[in-house]
Coordinates of all heavy atoms in Angstrom, one line a residue:
M838 N 14.8 15.8 -39.3 CA 15.8 16.0 -38.4 C 15.3 15.9 -36.9 O 15.9 15.3 -36.1 CB 16.5 17.4 -38.6 CG 17.6 17.7 -37.6 SD 19.0 16.5 -38.0 CE 20.2 17.1 -37.0
K839 N 14.1 16.4 -36.8 CA 13.4 16.2 -35.4 C 13.1 14.8 -35.0 O 13.2 14.4 -33.9 CB 12.1 17.1 -35.4 CG 12.3 18.6 -35.4 CD 11.0 19.2 -35.3 CE 11.2 20.8 -35.3 NZ 9.9 21.5 -35.2
R840 N 12.9 14.0 -36.1 CA 12.6 12.6 -35.7 C 13.9 11.9 -35.2 O 13.8 11.1 -34.3 CB 12.2 11.8 -37.0 CG 10.8 12.0 -37.4 CD 10.5 11.2 -38.6 NE 9.1 11.4 -39.0 CZ 8.6 10.9 -40.1 NH1 9.3 10.2 -40.9 NH2 7.4 11.2 -40.4
Y841 N 15.0 12.2 -35.8 CA 16.3 11.6 -35.3 C 16.6 12.1 -33.9 O 17.1 11.3 -33.1 CB 17.4 12.0 -36.3 CG 17.2 11.4 -37.7 CD1 17.0 12.2 -38.7 CD2 17.2 10.0 -37.8 CE1 16.8 11.7 -40.0 CE2 17.0 9.5 -39.0 CZ 16.8 10.3 -40.1 OH 16.6 9.7 -41.4
V842 N 16.4 13.4 -33.6 CA 16.6 13.9 -32.3 C 15.7 13.2 -31.3 O 16.1 12.8 -30.2 CB 16.4 15.4 -32.2 CG1 16.5 15.9 -30.8 CG2 17.4 16.1 -33.1
A843 N 14.4 13.0 -31.6 CA 13.5 12.3 -30.8 C 13.9 10.9 -30.6 O 13.8 10.3 -29.4 CB 12.1 12.4 -31.3
L844 N 14.4 10.2 -31.6 CA 14.8 8.9 -31.5 C 16.0 8.7 -30.6 O 16.1 7.9 -29.7 CB 15.1 8.3 -32.9 CG 15.6 6.8 -32.9 CD1 14.5 6.0 -32.4 CD2 15.9 6.5 -34.3
V845 N 16.9 9.7 -30.7 CA 18.1 9.6 -29.9 C 17.8 9.9 -28.4 O 18.3 9.2 -27.6 CB 19.1 10.7 -30.4 CG1 20.2 10.9 -29.3 CG2 19.7 10.3 -31.7
V846 N 16.9 10.8 -28.1 CA 16.4 11.0 -26.8 C 15.7 9.8 -26.2 O 16.0 9.5 -25.1 CB 15.5 12.3 -26.7 CG1 14.8 12.4 -25.4 CG2 16.3 13.5 -27.1
F847 N 15.0 9.2 -27.0 CA 14.2 8.0 -26.5 C 15.2 6.9 -26.2 O 15.1 6.3 -25.2 CB 13.2 7.5 -27.6 CG 12.6 6.2 -27.3 CD1 11.6 6.1 -26.4 CD2 13.0 5.0 -27.9 CE1 11.0 4.9 -26.0 CE2 12.4 3.8 -27.6 CZ 11.4 3.7 -26.7
V848 N 16.2 6.7 -27.0 CA 17.2 5.6 -26.8 C 18.0 5.9 -25.6 O 18.3 5.1 -24.7 CB 18.1 5.4 -28.0 CG1 19.3 4.5 -27.8 CG2 17.3 4.9 -29.3
V849 N 18.4 7.2 -25.4 CA 19.2 7.6 -24.2 C 18.3 7.4 -23.0 O 18.9 6.8 -21.9 CB 19.6 9.1 -24.3 CG1 20.2 9.5 -23.0 CG2 20.7 9.2 -25.5
L850 N 17.1 7.7 -22.9 CA 16.2 7.5 -21.8 C 16.1 6.0 -21.4 O 16.1 5.6 -20.3 CB 14.9 8.2 -21.9 CG 14.9 9.7 -21.9 CD1 13.5 10.3 -22.2 CD2 15.4 10.3 -20.6
L851 N 15.9 5.2 -22.5 CA 15.7 3.8 -22.3 C 17.0 3.2 -21.8 O 16.9 2.4 -20.9 CB 15.4 3.2 -23.7 CG 15.0 1.7 -23.7 CD1 13.7 1.5 -22.9 CD2 14.8 1.2 -25.1
A852 N 18.2 3.6 -22.2 CA 19.4 3.1 -21.8 C 19.7 3.6 -20.3 O 20.4 2.9 -19.6 CB 20.6 3.6 -22.6
A853 N 19.1 4.7 -20.0 CA 19.4 5.2 -18.6 C 18.5 4.5 -17.6 O 18.7 4.8 -16.4 CB 19.1 6.8 -18.6
G854 N 17.6 3.7 -18.0 CA 16.8 2.9 -17.0 C 15.5 3.5 -16.8 O 14.9 3.2 -15.7
C855 N 15.0 4.3 -17.6 CA 13.6 4.9 -17.4 C 12.6 3.8 -17.9 O 12.1 3.9 -19.0 CB 13.5 6.2 -18.2 SG 14.5 7.5 -17.7
G856 N 12.4 2.9 -17.0 CA 11.5 1.8 -17.4 C 10.0 2.1 -17.1 O 9.7 3.2 -16.4
K857 N 9.2 1.3 -17.4 CA 7.7 1.4 -17.2 C 7.4 1.4 -15.7 O 6.5 2.1 -15.3 CB 7.0 0.3 -18.0 CG 5.5 0.3 -18.0 CD 4.9 -0.7 -18.9 CE 3.5 -0.6 -19.0 NZ 2.9 -1.6 -19.8
F858 N 8.1 0.6 -15.0 CA 7.8 0.5 -13.6 C 8.8 1.1 -12.7 O 8.9 0.7 -11.5 CB 7.7 -1.1 -13.3 CG 6.5 -1.7 -13.9 CD1 6.7 -2.5 -15.1 CD2 5.3 -1.5 -13.5 CE1 5.7 -3.0 -15.7 CE2 4.2 -2.1 -14.1 CZ 4.4 -2.9 -15.3
E859 N 9.5 2.1 -13.1 CA 10.5 2.8 -12.3 C 9.9 3.4 -11.0 O 10.4 3.3 -9.9 CB 11.2 3.8 -13.1 CG 12.4 4.5 -12.3 CD 13.1 5.5 -13.2 OE1 13.0 5.5 -14.4 OE2 13.7 6.4 -12.6
V860 N 8.8 4.1 -11.2 CA 8.1 4.7 -10.1 C 7.5 3.7 -9.2 O 7.6 3.9 -7.9 CB 7.0 5.7 -10.6 CG1 6.2 6.2 -9.5 CG2 7.6 6.8 -11.5
Y861 N 7.0 2.6 -9.7 CA 6.5 1.5 -8.9 C 7.6 1.0 -8.0 O 7.4 0.7 -6.8 CB 6.0 0.4 -9.8 CG 5.4 -0.8 -9.0 CD1 4.2 -0.7 -8.3 CD2 6.1 -2.0 -9.0 CE1 3.7 -1.8 -7.6 CE2 5.7 -3.1 -8.3 CZ 4.4 -3.0 -7.6 OH 4.0 -4.1 -7.0
E862 N 8.8 0.7 -8.5 CA 9.9 0.2 -7.8 C 10.2 1.2 -6.6 O 10.5 0.7 -5.5 CB 11.1 0.0 -8.7 CG 10.9 -1.2 -9.7 CD 12.0 -1.2 -10.7 OE1 12.9 -0.3 -10.7 OE2 11.9 -2.1 -11.6
R863 N 10.3 2.4 -6.9 CA 10.6 3.5 -5.9 C 9.5 3.5 -4.8 O 9.8 3.6 -3.6 CB 10.7 4.8 -6.5 CG 12.0 5.4 -6.5 CD 12.1 6.7 -7.0 NE 11.5 6.7 -8.4 CZ 11.2 7.7 -9.1 NH1 11.3 8.8 -8.7 NH2 10.7 7.5 -10.3
N864 N 8.3 3.3 -5.2 CA 7.2 3.3 -4.2 C 7.2 2.1 -3.3 O 6.8 2.2 -2.1 CB 5.8 3.4 -4.9 CG 5.6 4.8 -5.5 OD1 6.2 5.8 -5.1 ND2 4.6 4.9 -6.4
L865 N 7.7 1.0 -3.8 CA 7.8 -0.2 -2.9 C 8.8 0.1 -1.7 O 8.5 -0.5 -0.7 CB 8.4 -1.4 -3.8 CG 7.5 -2.1 -4.7 CD1 8.2 -3.1 -5.5 CD2 6.3 -2.7 -4.0
H866 N 9.7 0.9 -1.9 CA 10.6 1.3 -0.8 C 9.9 2.0 0.4 O 10.3 1.8 1.5 CB 11.8 2.2 -1.3 CG 12.7 1.6 -2.2 ND1 13.4 0.5 -2.0 CD2 13.1 2.1 -3.5 CE1 14.2 0.2 -3.1 NE2 14.0 1.2 -3.9
Y867 N 8.9 2.7 0.1 CA 8.1 3.5 1.1 C 7.0 2.7 1.7 O 6.4 3.2 2.6 CB 7.7 4.8 0.5 CG 8.8 5.6 0.1 CD1 9.1 5.8 -1.3 CD2 9.7 6.2 0.9 CE1 10.2 6.5 -1.7 CE2 10.7 7.0 0.6 CZ 11.0 7.1 -0.8 OH 12.1 7.9 -1.2
M868 N 6.6 1.5 1.2 CA 5.5 0.7 1.7 C 5.9 0.2 3.1 O 7.0 -0.4 3.2 CB 5.0 -0.3 0.8 CG 4.3 0.2 -0.4 SD 3.7 -1.1 -1.4 CE 3.1 -0.2 -2.8
K869 N 5.1 0.2 4.0 CA 5.4 -0.3 5.3 C 4.5 -1.5 5.6 O 3.4 -1.6 5.2 CB 5.2 0.7 6.4 CG 6.0 2.0 6.3 CD 7.4 1.7 6.6 CE 8.2 3.0 6.6 NZ 9.6 2.8 6.4
G870 N 4.9 -2.4 6.4 CA 4.2 -3.5 7.0 C 3.2 -4.2 6.1 O 3.4 -4.8 5.2
Q871 N 1.9 -4.0 6.6 CA 0.8 -4.7 6.0 C 0.6 -4.3 4.6 O 0.2 -5.0 3.7 CB -0.5 -4.6 6.8 CG -1.6 -5.4 6.4 CD -1.3 -6.9 6.5 OE1 -0.7 -7.4 7.4 NE2 -1.8 -7.6 5.4
T872 N 0.7 -3.0 4.3 CA 0.6 -2.4 2.9 C 1.5 -3.2 2.0 O 1.1 -3.6 0.9 CB 0.9 -1.0 2.9 OG1 0.0 -0.3 3.9 CG2 0.6 -0.4 1.5
Y873 N 2.7 -3.4 2.4 CA 3.7 -4.1 1.5 C 3.3 -5.5 1.4 O 3.4 -6.1 0.2 CB 5.1 -4.0 2.1 CG 6.1 -4.7 1.3 CD1 6.5 -4.3 0.0 CD2 6.7 -5.9 1.8 CE1 7.4 -5.0 -0.7 CE2 7.6 -6.6 1.1 CZ 8.0 -6.2 -0.2 OH 8.9 -6.9 -0.9
Q874 N 2.9 -6.2 2.4 CA 2.5 -7.6 2.3 C 1.3 -7.7 1.4 O 1.2 -8.7 0.6 CB 2.2 -8.2 3.7 CG 3.4 -8.2 4.6 CD 4.5 -9.0 4.0 OE1 4.3 -10.1 3.4 NE2 5.7 -8.6 4.2
D875 N 0.3 -6.8 1.5 CA -0.8 -6.9 0.6 C -0.4 -6.7 -0.9 O -1.0 -7.3 -1.7 CB -1.9 -5.7 1.0 CG -2.5 -6.0 2.4 OD1 -2.4 -7.1 2.8 OD2 -3.1 -5.0 2.9
E876 N 0.5 -5.7 -1.1 CA 1.0 -5.5 -2.5 C 1.8 -6.7 -3.0 O 1.5 -7.1 -4.2 CB 1.9 -4.3 -2.5 CG 2.4 -4.0 -3.9 CD 1.4 -3.5 -4.9 OE1 0.2 -3.1 -4.4 OE2 1.6 -3.6 -6.0
K877 N 2.5 -7.4 -2.2 CA 3.2 -8.6 -2.6 C 2.2 -9.7 -2.9 O 2.4 -10.4 -3.9 CB 4.1 -9.0 -1.4 CG 5.2 -10.0 -1.8 CD 6.2 -10.0 -0.6 CE 5.9 -11.2 0.2 NZ 6.9 -11.5 1.2
A878 N 1.1 -9.9 -2.2 CA 0.1 -10.8 -2.4 C -0.6 -10.5 -3.8 O -0.9 -11.4 -4.5 CB -0.9 -11.0 -1.3
L879 N -0.9 -9.3 -3.9 CA -1.6 -8.8 -5.2 C -0.7 -9.1 -6.4 O -1.2 -9.6 -7.4 CB -1.9 -7.3 -5.1 CG -2.6 -6.8 -6.3 CD1 -4.0 -7.3 -6.4 CD2 -2.7 -5.3 -6.1
V880 N 0.6 -8.9 -6.3 CA 1.4 -9.1 -7.4 C 1.6 -10.6 -7.7 O 1.5 -11.0 -8.9 CB 2.9 -8.5 -7.2 CG1 3.9 -8.9 -8.2 CG2 2.8 -6.9 -7.2
A881 N 1.5 -11.4 -6.7 CA 1.6 -12.8 -6.9 C 0.3 -13.3 -7.6 O 0.4 -14.2 -8.5 CB 1.8 -13.6 -5.6
E882 N -0.8 -12.8 -7.2 CA -2.1 -13.1 -7.8 C -2.1 -12.7 -9.2 O -2.6 -13.4 -10.1 CB -3.3 -12.5 -7.0 CG -4.6 -12.8 -7.6 CD -5.0 -14.3 -7.7 OE1 -4.5 -15.1 -6.8 OE2 -5.7 -14.7 -8.6
Q883 N -1.6 -11.5 -9.5 CA -1.6 -11.0 -10.9 C -0.7 -11.9 -11.8 O -1.1 -12.2 -13.0 CB -1.1 -9.6 -11.0 CG -2.0 -8.6 -10.5 CD -1.4 -7.2 -10.3 OE1 -0.2 -7.0 -10.5 NE2 -2.3 -6.2 -10.2
M884 N 0.4 -12.3 -11.3 CA 1.3 -13.2 -12.0 C 0.6 -14.5 -12.3 O 0.7 -15.0 -13.4 CB 2.6 -13.5 -11.1 CG 3.6 -14.2 -11.8 SD 4.4 -13.2 -13.1 CE 5.7 -14.2 -13.5
N885 N -0.1 -15.1 -11.3 CA -0.8 -16.4 -11.5 C -1.9 -16.2 -12.6 O -2.1 -17.1 -13.5 CB -1.4 -16.9 -10.2 CG -0.4 -17.4 -9.3 OD1 0.7 -17.8 -9.7 ND2 -0.7 -17.4 -8.0
R886 N -2.6 -15.1 -12.5 CA -3.7 -14.9 -13.5 C -3.1 -14.6 -14.9 O -3.6 -15.2 -15.9 CB -4.5 -13.6 -13.1 CG -5.8 -14.0 -12.4 CD -6.6 -12.8 -12.1 NE -6.0 -12.0 -11.0 CZ -5.9 -10.7 -10.9 NH1 -6.6 -10.0 -11.8 NH2 -5.4 -10.1 -9.9
A887 N -2.0 -14.0 -15.0 CA -1.4 -13.7 -16.4 C -0.9 -15.1 -16.9 O -1.0 -15.2 -18.2 CB -0.2 -12.7 -16.1
Q888 N -0.3 -15.9 -16.1 CA 0.2 -17.2 -16.6 C -1.0 -18.0 -17.0 O -0.9 -18.7 -18.1 CB 1.0 -17.9 -15.6 CG 2.3 -17.3 -15.3 CD 3.0 -17.9 -14.1 OE1 2.4 -18.5 -13.2 NE2 4.3 -17.7 -14.1
A889 N -2.1 -18.0 -16.3 CA -3.2 -18.8 -16.7 C -3.9 -18.3 -18.0 O -4.3 -19.0 -18.9 CB -4.3 -18.8 -15.6
N890 N -3.9 -16.9 -18.1 CA -4.5 -16.3 -19.3 C -3.7 -16.6 -20.6 O -4.1 -16.9 -21.7 CB -4.6 -14.9 -19.2 CG -5.8 -14.5 -18.3 OD1 -6.8 -15.2 -18.1 ND2 -5.8 -13.2 -17.8
L891 N -2.3 -16.6 -20.4 CA -1.4 -17.0 -21.5 C -1.7 -18.5 -21.9 O -1.6 -18.7 -23.1 CB 0.0 -16.8 -21.1 CG 1.0 -17.1 -22.2 CD1 0.8 -16.3 -23.5 CD2 2.5 -16.9 -21.8
A892 N -1.8 -19.3 -21.0 CA -2.0 -20.7 -21.3 C -3.4 -20.9 -22.0 O -3.4 -21.6 -23.0 CB -2.1 -21.6 -20.0
K893 N -4.4 -20.1 -21.7 CA -5.7 -20.2 -22.4 C -5.5 -19.6 -23.8 O -6.1 -20.1 -24.7 CB -6.7 -19.5 -21.6 CG -7.2 -20.1 -20.3 CD -8.2 -19.3 -19.6 CE -8.6 -19.9 -18.3 NZ -9.5 -19.0 -17.5
A894 N -4.8 -18.5 -23.9 CA -4.6 -17.9 -25.2 C -3.9 -18.8 -26.2 O -4.2 -18.9 -27.3 CB -3.8 -16.5 -25.0
E895 N -2.8 -19.4 -25.6 CA -2.1 -20.4 -26.5 C -2.9 -21.6 -26.9 O -2.7 -22.1 -28.0 CB -0.8 -20.8 -25.7 CG 0.2 -19.7 -25.7 CD 1.5 -20.1 -24.8 OE1 1.3 -21.1 -24.0 OE2 2.5 -19.5 -25.0
A896 N -3.8 -22.0 -26.0 CA -4.7 -23.1 -26.4 C -5.7 -22.7 -27.4 O -6.1 -23.5 -28.3 CB -5.4 -23.6 -25.1
S897 N -6.1 -21.4 -27.4 CA -7.1 -21.0 -28.4 C -6.4 -20.8 -29.8 O -7.1 -21.0 -30.8 CB -7.7 -19.6 -28.0 OG -6.7 -18.6 -28.2
G898 N -5.1 -20.6 -29.8 CA -4.4 -20.4 -31.1 C -4.6 -19.0 -31.8 O -4.1 -18.9 -32.9
D899 N -5.3 -18.1 -31.1 CA -5.5 -16.8 -31.7 C -4.3 -15.9 -31.5 O -3.9 -15.6 -30.4 CB -6.7 -16.1 -31.0 CG -7.0 -14.8 -31.6 OD1 -6.5 -14.4 -32.6 OD2 -7.8 -14.0 -30.9
P900 N -3.6 -15.6 -32.6 CA -2.3 -14.8 -32.4 C -2.5 -13.5 -31.7 O -1.6 -13.1 -30.9 CB -1.8 -14.6 -33.8 CG -2.7 -15.4 -34.8 CD -3.8 -15.8 -34.0
E901 N -3.5 -12.8 -31.9 CA -3.7 -11.5 -31.3 C -3.9 -11.6 -29.8 O -3.4 -10.9 -28.9 CB -4.9 -10.7 -31.9 CG -5.1 -9.3 -31.4 CD -3.9 -8.4 -31.8 OE1 -3.3 -8.7 -32.9 OE2 -3.6 -7.5 -31.0
R902 N -4.7 -12.6 -29.4 CA -5.0 -12.9 -28.0 C -3.6 -13.4 -27.3 O -3.4 -13.0 -26.2 CB -6.0 -14.0 -27.9 CG -6.5 -14.3 -26.5 CD -7.7 -15.2 -26.5 NE -8.0 -15.7 -25.2 CZ -8.7 -16.8 -24.9 NH1 -9.2 -17.5 -25.8 NH2 -8.9 -17.1 -23.7
I903 N -2.9 -14.1 -28.0 CA -1.6 -14.6 -27.5 C -0.7 -13.4 -27.2 O 0.0 -13.3 -26.2 CB -0.9 -15.6 -28.4 CG1 -1.7 -16.9 -28.4 CG2 0.5 -15.9 -28.0 CD1 -1.3 -17.9 -29.4
K904 N -0.6 -12.5 -28.2 CA 0.2 -11.3 -28.1 C -0.2 -10.5 -26.9 O 0.7 -10.0 -26.1 CB 0.1 -10.5 -29.4 CG 1.0 -9.2 -29.4 CD 0.9 -8.5 -30.6 CE 1.7 -7.2 -30.6 NZ 1.5 -6.4 -31.8
E905 N -1.5 -10.3 -26.7 CA -1.9 -9.5 -25.6 C -1.6 -10.2 -24.2 O -1.2 -9.5 -23.3 CB -3.5 -9.3 -25.7 CG -3.9 -8.3 -26.8 CD -5.4 -8.2 -27.0 OE1 -6.1 -8.7 -26.2 OE2 -5.8 -7.7 -28.0
A906 N -1.8 -11.5 -24.2 CA -1.6 -12.2 -23.0 C -0.1 -12.1 -22.6 O 0.3 -12.1 -21.4 CB -2.0 -13.7 -23.1
R907 N 0.8 -12.2 -23.7 CA 2.2 -12.1 -23.4 C 2.6 -10.8 -22.8 O 3.5 -10.7 -22.0 CB 3.0 -12.4 -24.7 CG 3.1 -13.9 -24.9 CD 4.0 -14.2 -26.1 NE 4.0 -15.7 -26.3 CZ 4.2 -16.3 -27.5 NH1 4.5 -15.5 -28.5 NH2 4.2 -17.5 -27.6
E908 N 2.0 -9.7 -23.3 CA 2.3 -8.4 -22.8 C 1.8 -8.2 -21.4 O 2.6 -7.6 -20.6 CB 1.6 -7.3 -23.7 CG 2.2 -7.1 -25.1 CD 3.6 -6.6 -25.0 OE1 3.9 -5.7 -24.2 OE2 4.5 -7.1 -25.7
V909 N 0.7 -8.8 -21.0 CA 0.2 -8.8 -19.7 C 1.2 -9.6 -18.8 O 1.5 -9.1 -17.7 CB -1.2 -9.3 -19.5 CG1 -1.7 -9.5 -18.1 CG2 -2.2 -8.3 -20.3
L910 N 1.6 -10.7 -19.3 CA 2.6 -11.5 -18.5 C 3.9 -10.8 -18.4 O 4.5 -10.9 -17.3 CB 2.8 -12.9 -19.2 CG 3.7 -13.8 -18.4 CD1 3.2 -14.2 -17.0 CD2 3.9 -15.1 -19.2
K911 N 4.3 -10.1 -19.3 CA 5.6 -9.3 -19.3 C 5.5 -8.3 -18.2 O 6.4 -8.1 -17.4 CB 5.8 -8.7 -20.6 CG 7.1 -8.0 -20.7 CD 7.3 -7.4 -22.1 CE 8.4 -6.3 -22.2 NZ 8.4 -5.7 -23.5
D912 N 4.4 -7.5 -18.2 CA 4.2 -6.5 -17.1 C 4.1 -7.2 -15.7 O 4.7 -6.6 -14.8 CB 2.9 -5.7 -17.4 CG 3.0 -4.8 -18.6 OD1 4.2 -4.6 -19.1 OD2 2.0 -4.3 -19.1
A913 N 3.4 -8.3 -15.6 CA 3.3 -8.9 -14.3 C 4.7 -9.5 -13.8 O 5.0 -9.3 -12.7 CB 2.4 -10.1 -14.4
T914 N 5.5 -9.9 -14.8 CA 6.8 -10.4 -14.4 C 7.7 -9.2 -14.0 O 8.5 -9.4 -13.0 CB 7.4 -11.1 -15.7 OG1 6.6 -12.2 -16.1 CG2 8.8 -11.6 -15.4
A915 N 7.6 -8.1 -14.7 CA 8.4 -6.9 -14.3 C 8.0 -6.5 -12.8 O 8.9 -6.2 -12.0 CB 8.2 -5.8 -15.2
K916 N 6.7 -6.5 -12.5 CA 6.3 -6.1 -11.1 C 6.8 -7.2 -10.1 O 7.3 -6.9 -9.1 CB 4.8 -6.0 -11.0 CG 4.2 -4.8 -11.8 CD 2.7 -4.7 -11.7 CE 2.2 -3.9 -10.5 NZ 0.8 -3.7 -10.5
S917 N 6.7 -8.4 -10.5 CA 7.2 -9.5 -9.6 C 8.7 -9.4 -9.4 O 9.1 -9.6 -8.2 CB 6.9 -10.9 -10.3 OG 7.3 -11.9 -9.4
R918 N 9.4 -9.1 -10.4 CA 10.9 -8.8 -10.1 C 11.1 -7.7 -9.3 O 12.1 -7.7 -8.4 CB 11.6 -8.7 -11.5 CG 11.7 -9.9 -12.3 CD 12.4 -9.7 -13.6 NE 12.5 -10.9 -14.4 CZ 12.6 -11.0 -15.6 NH1 12.7 -9.9 -16.4 NH2 12.6 -12.2 -16.2
A919 N 10.4 -6.6 -9.4 CA 10.5 -5.4 -8.6 C 10.3 -5.8 -7.1 O 11.0 -5.3 -6.2 CB 9.6 -4.3 -9.0
V920 N 9.2 -6.6 -6.9 CA 8.9 -7.1 -5.5 C 10.0 -7.9 -4.9 O 10.4 -7.8 -3.8 CB 7.6 -7.8 -5.5 CG1 7.3 -8.4 -4.1 CG2 6.4 -6.7 -5.7
E921 N 10.6 -8.8 -5.8 CA 11.6 -9.7 -5.4 C 12.9 -8.9 -5.0 O 13.6 -9.1 -4.0 CB 12.0 -10.7 -6.4 CG 11.0 -11.8 -6.6 CD 11.2 -12.7 -7.9 OE1 12.3 -12.5 -8.5 OE2 10.4 -13.5 -8.2
A922 N 13.2 -7.9 -5.8 CA 14.3 -7.0 -5.5 C 14.2 -6.3 -4.2 O 15.1 -6.1 -3.4 CB 14.5 -6.0 -6.7
E923 N 12.9 -5.8 -4.0 CA 12.6 -5.1 -2.7 C 12.7 -6.1 -1.5 O 13.2 -5.7 -0.4 CB 11.2 -4.5 -2.7 CG 10.8 -3.8 -1.5 CD 11.7 -2.6 -1.1 OE1 12.4 -2.1 -2.1 OE2 11.6 -2.1 0.0
E924 N 12.3 -7.3 -1.7 CA 12.4 -8.4 -0.7 C 13.9 -8.5 -0.3 O 14.3 -8.6 0.9 CB 11.9 -9.7 -1.1 CG 10.4 -9.8 -0.9 CD 10.0 -9.9 0.6 OE1 10.6 -10.7 1.3 OE2 9.1 -9.1 0.9
R925 N 14.8 -8.6 -1.3 CA 16.2 -8.7 -1.1 C 16.8 -7.6 -0.4 O 17.6 -7.7 0.6 CB 17.0 -9.0 -2.4 CG 16.7 -10.4 -2.9 CD 17.7 -10.7 -4.1 NE 17.6 -9.7 -5.2 CZ 16.8 -9.8 -6.2 NH1 15.9 -10.9 -6.3 NH2 16.8 -9.0 -7.1
R926 N 16.3 -6.3 -0.8 CA 16.8 -5.1 -0.2 C 16.4 -5.1 1.3 O 17.1 -4.8 2.2 CB 16.2 -3.9 -0.9 CG 16.8 -2.6 -0.4 CD 16.0 -1.4 -0.9 NE 14.8 -1.2 -0.3 CZ 14.5 -0.7 0.9 NH1 15.5 -0.3 1.6 NH2 13.4 -0.6 1.4
R927 N 15.2 -5.5 1.6 CA 14.7 -5.4 3.0 C 15.3 -6.5 3.9 O 15.4 -6.4 5.1 CB 13.2 -5.6 3.1 CG 12.4 -4.4 2.5 CD 11.0 -4.6 2.5 NE 10.3 -3.4 2.0 CZ 9.2 -2.9 2.4 NH1 8.6 -3.4 3.6 NH2 8.7 -1.9 1.9
A928 N 15.8 -7.6 3.2 CA 16.4 -8.7 4.0 C 17.8 -8.4 4.4 O 18.4 -9.1 5.3 CB 16.3 -10.0 3.2
R929 N 18.4 -7.4 3.8 CA 19.8 -7.1 4.1 C 19.9 -6.6 5.5 O 19.1 -5.8 6.0 CB 20.4 -6.1 3.2 CG 20.8 -6.6 1.9 CD 21.5 -5.5 1.1 NE 20.9 -5.4 -0.2 CZ 20.7 -4.3 -0.9 NH1 21.1 -3.1 -0.4 NH2 20.0 -4.3 -2.0
T930 N 21.0 -7.0 6.2 CA 21.2 -6.4 7.5 C 22.6 -5.7 7.5 O 23.5 -6.2 6.8 CB 21.3 -7.6 8.6 OG1 22.2 -8.6 8.2 CG2 19.9 -8.2 8.7
W931 N 22.6 -4.6 8.2 CA 23.9 -3.8 8.1 C 24.6 -4.1 9.4 O 24.5 -4.0 10.4 CB 23.5 -2.4 7.9 CG 22.8 -2.2 6.6 CD1 21.5 -2.0 6.4 CD2 23.3 -2.2 5.2 NE1 21.2 -1.9 5.1 CE2 22.3 -2.0 4.4 CE3 24.6 -2.4 4.7 CZ2 22.5 -1.9 3.0 CZ3 24.8 -2.3 3.4 CH2 23.7 -2.1 2.5

């Protein structure tokens, strides 16, 4: 019975938007000026590295290496989307 309750709680939290990078997205709102620009450049570099690593992993043909590279790319993509959303938010004028 406890397993089912834990599973239900997990599904509810997942549906509510408790993602892996929720805190990261919130922290982007508070970054100012050069700190935000540095973070944006870092995320772009991470994305490039993750794409290159995935290409190398796929060329090697090792399924475990491919799986790991895809997970890293998935995380980098999530961070990149968070930065893009913050860019759109900052570009709005009221």
Side-chain angles (χ1 to χ4, degrees):
M838 185 66 175
K839 288 183 181 181
R840 285 184 179 171
Y841 295 115
V842 172
L844 180 63
V845 169
V846 169
F847 174 75
V848 170
V849 168
L850 289 176
L851 187 63
C855 295
K857 186 174 181 179
F858 293 102
E859 183 179 342
V860 174
Y861 178 75
E862 292 169 359
R863 249 182 304 168
N864 287 341
L865 285 175
H866 294 304
Y867 297 107
M868 289 183 185
K869 301 285 183 201
Q871 189 60 41
T872 305
Y873 176 71
Q874 295 302 321
D875 292 343
E876 182 65 22
K877 198 165 94 171
L879 180 66
V880 168
E882 178 62 32
Q883 288 174 348
M884 186 72 170
N885 290 336
R886 266 187 281 145
Q888 289 171 338
N890 285 339
L891 179 59
K893 289 177 186 176
E895 287 175 341
S897 74
D899 181 14
E901 189 61 34
R902 188 173 168 197
I903 293 170
K904 181 180 176 185
E905 290 173 12
R907 283 188 179 150
E908 287 297 318
V909 170
L910 181 61
K911 182 180 168 186
D912 290 346
T914 302
K916 284 178 100 174
S917 179
R918 286 183 183 152
V920 168
E921 289 171 6
E923 180 63 17
E924 277 292 309
R925 286 191 303 273
R926 188 191 73 78
R927 289 178 183 222
R929 280 190 236 146
T930 56
W931 300 100

